[in-house]
Amino acid sequence: MDAYERLWNGWRAAYVGSVSAHPLAEGSVFTAILQSGLSDEESNIVHRGRLVFAILNAFPYATGHTLLMPYREVADLEDLDGDEAAELWSTVTDAVRAVKAAYQPGGVNIGINIGRPAGGSVSQHLHVHVVPRWTGDGNFMTAIANTRTLPEALSDRAARLRAAWPR
């Protein structure tokens, strides 16, 4: 990796340190965050429902990249009970509304990677990605330097999405 494949993002140190300072729970990083005792502001949780929550992706593809998942750690869609499935998809719709209100993207990607071979980096805890997109957002940094530029800190993004979340 050469020097041009790195982009300094100092805010990450505080986030990583805050999560790793707490003993990790059994299970996924999402379960560890939920059990860490951190506030929603510290953990970048932007919404809590009865069975499902929304959190910013710590390694986003774009500003506003949000993850939605059940509190219960399950790996597959078919492992969700009916109430979890209904609330998950309702929360996906709310997240799209919030992302559109907060960022005015030209489009939105919604996706799930089920299992490690499908690209699921936290495959034991099912989560839905909501990624705002703009025409031309795959700029030269990604194409040439294999680097993503993100103009807004996680905490600022979380506050912006919380304010835009449908009530």
Side-chain angles (χ1 to χ4, degrees), residues 32-118:
I33 290 168
L34 288 169
Q35 295 178 356
S36 70
L38 294 172
S39 70
D40 288 355
E41 288 73 22
E42 292 170 302
S43 62
N44 296 304
I45 292 174
V46 296
H47 168 77
R48 286 182 182 265
R50 189 171 69 82
L51 301 170
V52 172
F53 72 104
I55 187 169
L56 288 179
N57 189 333
F59 304 99
Y61 297 129
T63 298
H65 182 168
T66 306
L67 304 175
L68 308 111
M69 68 200 78
Y71 293 107
R72 188 169 68 96
E73 190 171 307
V74 299
D76 295 304
L77 278 172
E78 61 271 22
D79 294 337
L80 295 172
D81 67 31
D83 290 340
E84 288 169 325
E87 187 176 327
L88 178 63
W89 294 113
S90 172
T91 305
V92 168
T93 301
D94 285 346
V96 169
R97 286 186 180 114
V99 161
K100 285 181 174 180
Y103 291 101
Q104 295 82 46
V108 178
N109 288 130
I110 299 168
I112 305 174
N113 301 314
I114 298 176
R116 189 163 301 283

Side-chain angles (χ1 to χ4, degrees), residues 112-144:
I112 305 174
N113 301 314
I114 298 176
R116 189 163 301 283
S121 58
V122 185
S123 57
Q124 75 269 33
H125 201 147
L126 176 82
H127 53 284
V128 179
H129 295 256
V130 172
V131 184
R133 301 304 305 265
W134 296 265
T135 301
D137 64 3
N139 67 25
F140 75 95
M141 290 294 283
T142 299
I144 296 172

